[in-house]
Amino acid sequence: MKKVLNVLISRIIYVFLLVMLIFFAAANPNFMTVRNLMNVVKQAAIYGIASVGMTYVILLGGIDLSIGSIISLINIVAAYFMVNMGVHPAAAILLSLVISTAIGLLNGIIISQIRMPELIVTFASQTIFAGLAYIICNGTPISRFPESFLVIGQGYVGPIPIPVIIMIIIFVIGWFISEKTFFGRYFYALGGNEEAAQLSGINVKRIKCLVYSLSGFFAGIAGLVMLARANTGQPNAGLGYEFDVITCVVLGGVSTTGGSGKMSNVIAGVMIIGVLQNGMVLLDVSSYMQMVVKGIILLIAVGADCVQKYGLLKVKKAAA
């Protein structure tokens, strides 16, 4: 019995996801339909793709508030390339990802070289690039994209939506980087103790630049998938996404103080947010109340992490 309890505690995030599925299925019979579940995973795919980069940032003990604005900017930039400039979709995708990665790199350089707080740097980036998205399109949505581009947001491979396939591939890549490469070990080491990591020979500045570049890169992919799915480039497309993505990552058990967390659990956090949003819409919960609920969930997740860390600290002190 004790072993079963320990397994349940270690997999509490999955238990919570199962409870939510049962609750919404009982509350609304339309929730468990194939069509609705496909909508859930397609919407969650955008959070999932962006959450991989955010996971790395939070593993370092940092934060990236700019990803919502990067998503918005990529929506407009990619749309502008294809519609206004007639650029081929493949070239537009490549150029857009270069831009999003460059934004992440810029954040990383400022944070690591000038030693400005991550919160201030990424909040400034959020504001700058949100405004730039409006400037590029004059506040007007851009639409009418080539069919070859729309496939990445609306296409299927058999019964599986392509955005979900992209999310799975991104998660596999993200897991491989964090668990099977020396860069991944550096992320954990740096988040656990930056000073010790530097003394052990890790190039802290380079790792921070890499992590924020990856965050920008994955946010760019999320922006492209969103653009193809909506078939319209909106200058406010990514508004508030940074909050949802942070919630996904923290719900997945990645410690806000850095140094601990698993990519495999972040998947569950992503699905919880996807199920929660979809379920509340089906139950006709107002958008304002949805904000309240998500805020409470984020507070509980961070609180649980702090309690766990404090409890572990007390145990270590007692043992000493």
Side-chain angles (χ1 to χ4, degrees):
M1 184 66 183
K2 190 176 180 181
K3 286 184 179 179
V4 174
L5 188 62
N6 287 336
V7 170
L8 285 175
I9 291 171
S10 65
R11 304 294 181 188
I12 190 68
I13 186 72
Y14 295 98
V15 175
F16 185 49
L17 176 59
L18 181 61
V19 169
M20 283 186 60
L21 287 168
I22 293 170
F23 171 76
F24 285 121
N28 192 313
N30 293 323
F31 178 79
M32 290 302 289
T33 61
V34 174
R35 182 177 180 181
N36 186 63
L37 290 176
M38 283 297 178
N39 285 333
V40 171
V41 293
K42 280 196 289 186
Q43 180 61 38
I46 297 168
Y47 296 131
I49 294 165
S51 70
V52 172
M54 184 65 81
T55 298
Y56 296 150
V57 171
I58 296 180
L59 276 176
L60 259 62
I63 196 76
D64 189 353
L65 299 179
S66 68
I67 64 168
S69 292
I70 292 174
I71 289 172
S72 296
L73 182 66
I74 293 306
N75 255 250
I76 293 303
V77 166
Y80 191 89
F81 281 148
M82 287 184 284
V83 176
N84 295 51
M85 297 178 66
V87 176
H88 189 277
I93 289 170
L94 182 60
L95 288 169
S96 299
L97 291 179
V98 168
I99 290 169
S100 68
T101 306
I103 293 170
L105 177 60
L106 178 63
N107 287 337
I109 290 171
I110 295 172
I111 290 165
S112 62
Q113 298 292 338
I114 306 178
R115 297 182 179 274
M116 285 179 65
E118 296 95 336
L119 184 69
I120 301 301
V121 174
T122 57
F123 178 68
S125 290
Q126 179 192 60
T127 308
I128 292 166
F129 294 109
L132 191 58
Y134 278 95
I135 291 170
I136 292 171
C137 68
N138 291 319
T140 306
I142 305 173
S143 57
R144 297 181 182 177
F145 309 122
E147 288 295 327
S148 58
F149 174 75
L150 297 179
V151 168
I152 67 173
Q154 301 177 12
Y156 285 78
V157 174
I160 306 173
I162 287 179
V164 177
I165 295 172
I166 294 172
M167 178 183 70
I168 293 169
I169 293 170
I170 294 297
F171 264 118
V172 170
I173 294 170
W175 171 84
F176 181 81
I177 291 172
S178 63
E179 300 294 331
K180 300 296 180 180
T181 68
F182 65 90
F183 286 120
R185 292 193 290 273
Y186 290 171
F187 298 164
Y188 285 100
L190 192 56
N193 189 321
E194 183 175 326
E195 188 176 348
Q198 190 162 15
L199 290 172
S200 67
I202 296 173
N203 191 322
V204 171
K205 293 179 179 179
R206 187 176 297 173
I207 294 300
K208 285 187 176 181
C209 288
L210 172 63
V211 164
Y212 280 93
S213 297
L214 288 171
S215 182
F217 175 74
F218 289 122
I221 295 175
L224 290 167
V225 172
M226 179 191 288
L227 177 64
R229 187 180 175 210
N231 197 15
T232 304
Q234 298 277 358
N236 62 348
L239 184 66
Y241 264 72
E242 63 283 342
F243 171 78
D244 290 330
V245 172
I246 291 169
T247 305
C248 291
V249 175
V250 175
L251 270 176
V254 180
S255 175
T256 51
T257 56
S260 65
K262 291 185 177 180
M263 192 68 70
S264 55
N265 289 340
V266 173
I267 299 172
V270 168
M271 292 312 301
I272 285 173
I273 293 299
V275 167
L276 183 67
Q277 285 192 333
N278 182 269
M280 288 193 293
V281 168
L282 288 179
L283 295 180
D284 201 25
V285 176
S286 73
S287 59
Y288 308 117
M289 183 54 68
Q290 289 182 38
M291 292 168 65
V292 171
V293 171
K294 286 191 288 186
I296 291 171
I297 287 176
L298 178 60
L299 195 63
I300 291 171
V302 175
D305 174 55
C306 291
V307 168
Q308 186 182 20
K309 287 276 185 183
Y310 181 67
L312 253 136
L313 189 61
K314 284 177 70 176
V315 169
K316 284 180 181 177
K317 283 183 177 178

